[in-house]
Amino acid sequence: MSNPSLLILPGDGIGPEVMAEVRKVIDWFGAKRGVVFDVSEDLVGGAAYDKHGTPLHDDTMAKAQEVDAVLLGAVGGPKYDVLDFSVKPERGLLRLRKEMDLYSNLRPAQCFDALADFSSLKKDVVAGLDIMIVRELTSGVYFGEPRGIIEEGNERVGINTQRYTESEIDRAARSAFELAMKRGKKLCSMEKANVMESGILWREVVTEVGKDYPEVELSHMYADAGAMQLTRWPKQFDVIVTDNLFGDLLSDLAAMLTGSLGMLPSASLGAPMANGRPKALYEPVHGSAPDIAGQGKANPCACILSFAMALRYSFDLGDEATRLEQAVEKVLADGVRTADLLNEEGRTPASTSEMGDAVVAALEASL
Ligand code: IPM
Ligand code: MG
């Protein structure tokens, strides 16, 4: 049997730098754990636009559909702000999500012990935090029609449409219930059923799906109240399921509870392929951070932990995923810190590659 395949799309900004560190980790697993991948690399976002005039070439899209998993760095940058909306770097990422039909976006927010002091919230509020946001990723206001900027009378009108079908809500909810079953068996669904019809339908369908998961304690919250509760006492949550836009906002909020956006991975999963593996794309939650790009300052942990999620969710290698997660935890416990994880003056931060090397050394020590 051939090796499982991995398509790497480093993208823009700090994407290529953090991905270089993931390559070290991938190589280590190949050499030391016999976990070998056929790795190919391609362009996405601004990098693809610079070469092809499009943020995602059709050939790259086709490749993404064929491989066992895609690992993406980040897309976007100020240089591309002037581009037409249809070719902006973000469109490349959105096309991947849509055409691969990656409807279930898993965004864990976990507070590493060594970083509990680093959160902007009090330590006892965040210490030990371990929640999972399941964000619907292929529908809602991100993709709903009609959309656009039209002329009406003597002014322009910007239009986007929040739209959800029952089946779209159903499948996102099901993936969240499945996860809740494997975790603390608690699921909180967030929408705005008080003002949006799509929210009313969301609540009804999630409640219906819940009947298939009687062991899971289901609750509902308006998304604004959810944001408030997330900052007030985040440990009340286990799994949260929400739509595309609320999920975008709430996952950044949840991420920051843990101290740094530089630590958080994500998995975007779709339906199973012929080989039983889900269509999958893994990416850090952070963006391309153009302000620090190319300076060796970026924290590669979120991207490294995204590879850990790939090991767990695409390749059924939960033990190896845990090994990698523990290696990252050990590095943090040992006090290795990239600039984003430091607030004391006078300490020299670890560079991107020093952090990557430290993780590989911790992996080595785990043998
Ligand atoms: C995210 C990002 C994307 C989104 C952007 C880059 C299109 O913010 O993955 O959270 O809005 O979904
Ligand atoms: Mg976002």
Side-chain angles (χ1 to χ4, degrees), residues 251-299:
S251 63
D252 264 27
L253 190 160
M256 204 55 213
L257 299 176
T258 69
S260 171
L261 221 44
M263 291 304 302
L264 293 175
S266 79
S268 304
L269 307 175
M273 300 184 280
N275 62 12
R277 295 190 176 116
K279 274 267 161 73
L281 180 146
Y282 300 88
E283 56 176 320
V285 171
H286 64 67
S288 59
D291 52 320
I292 58 163
Q295 301 170 34
K297 288 184 182 167
N299 181 354

Side-chain angles (χ1 to χ4, degrees), residues 96-104 138 171 269-271:
L96 281 164
R97 291 175 178 172
K98 187 70 180 173
E99 292 192 21
M100 292 172 74
D101 204 18
L102 305 170
Y103 57 86
S104 178
T138 53
R171 63 184 189 172
L269 307 175

Side-chain angles (χ1 to χ4, degrees), residues 82-101:
V82 296
L83 291 184
D84 186 72
F85 188 70
S86 63
V87 289
K88 280 209 193 300
E90 290 78 6
R91 303 309 305 171
L93 175 57
L94 293 171
R95 181 178 175 200
L96 281 164
R97 291 175 178 172
K98 187 70 180 173
E99 292 192 21
M100 292 172 74
D101 204 18

Side-chain angles (χ1 to χ4, degrees), residues 11-318:
D12 307 322
I14 59 171
E17 295 161 60
V18 296
M19 202 59 90
E21 303 312 308
V22 181
R23 292 296 282 251
K24 293 179 187 168
V25 170
I26 294 173
D27 289 347
W28 185 87
F29 274 95
K32 299 295 172 75
R33 302 298 302 159
V35 177
V36 182
F37 295 97
D38 284 339
V39 182
S40 55
E41 194 168 313
D42 212 331
L43 303 171
V44 70
Y49 177 82
D50 288 340
K51 176 134 189 246
H52 303 299
T54 163
L56 187 72
H57 195 279
D58 288 345
D59 291 348
T60 316
M61 186 66 242
K63 247 190 259 173
Q65 297 283 20
E66 277 162 23
V67 293
D68 291 310
V70 179
L71 196 57
L72 185 138
V75 295
K79 175 179 161 197
Y80 306 104
D81 284 350
V82 296
L83 291 184
D84 186 72
F85 188 70
S86 63
V87 289
K88 280 209 193 300
E90 290 78 6
R91 303 309 305 171
L93 175 57
L94 293 171
R95 181 178 175 200
L96 281 164
R97 291 175 178 172
K98 187 70 180 173
E99 292 192 21
M100 292 172 74
D101 204 18
L102 305 170
Y103 57 86
S104 178
N105 179 213
L106 278 39
R107 298 191 162 188
Q110 233 175 326
C111 185
F112 291 87
D113 283 345
L115 297 180
D117 278 323
F118 199 72
S119 173
S120 49
L121 297 191
K122 294 195 190 83
K123 185 169 178 169
D124 68 313
V125 177
V126 295
L129 179 70
D130 177 7
I131 60 184
M132 177 75 89
I133 297 193
V134 178
R135 168 189 178 193
E136 197 291 325
L137 201 61
T138 53
S139 185
V141 77
Y142 271 56
F143 297 99
E145 301 279 348
R147 65 185 297 164
I149 300 176
I150 61 165
E151 300 279 341
E152 210 174 84
N154 54 6
E155 64 174 354
R156 294 178 303 156
V157 183
I159 299 173
N160 290 93
T161 302
Q162 166 81 336
R163 181 181 194 277
Y164 269 106
T165 64
E166 289 183 284
S167 51
E168 285 168 341
I169 302 168
D170 184 287
R171 63 184 189 172
R174 246 168 241 288
S175 73
F177 276 106
E178 290 292 335
L179 263 171
M181 285 296 289
K182 292 188 195 135
R183 296 175 43 106
K185 298 204 168 95
K186 265 172 68 179
L187 178 63
C188 181
S189 170
M190 296 188 186
E191 27 58 13
K192 286 282 288 177
N194 50 346
V195 283
M196 296 163 78
E197 285 79 358
S198 59
I200 295 174
L201 186 67
W202 183 279
R203 190 175 283 219
E204 282 176 14
V205 174
V206 172
T207 303
E208 199 54 37
V209 173
K211 293 183 183 155
D212 292 341
Y213 299 88
E215 284 174 56
V216 176
E217 180 197 319
L218 172 66
S219 60
H220 304 272
M221 225 178 248
Y222 298 139
D224 53 345
M228 186 268 283
Q229 290 296 339
L230 266 170
T231 45
R232 190 186 71 82
W233 188 244
K235 283 187 255 184
Q236 70 188 279
F237 298 109
D238 175 23
V239 181
I240 292 171
V241 63
T242 189
D243 77 11
N244 204 343
L245 183 60
F246 294 141
D248 182 44
L249 305 177
L250 293 171
S251 63
D252 264 27
L253 190 160
M256 204 55 213
L257 299 176
T258 69
S260 171
L261 221 44
M263 291 304 302
L264 293 175
S266 79
S268 304
L269 307 175
M273 300 184 280
N275 62 12
R277 295 190 176 116
K279 274 267 161 73
L281 180 146
Y282 300 88
E283 56 176 320
V285 171
H286 64 67
S288 59
D291 52 320
I292 58 163
Q295 301 170 34
K297 288 184 182 167
N299 181 354
C301 288
C303 205
I304 290 172
L305 291 170
S306 298
F307 175 64
M309 289 188 90
L311 292 172
R312 176 170 291 120
Y313 292 105
S314 280
F315 303 112
D316 218 8
L317 293 168

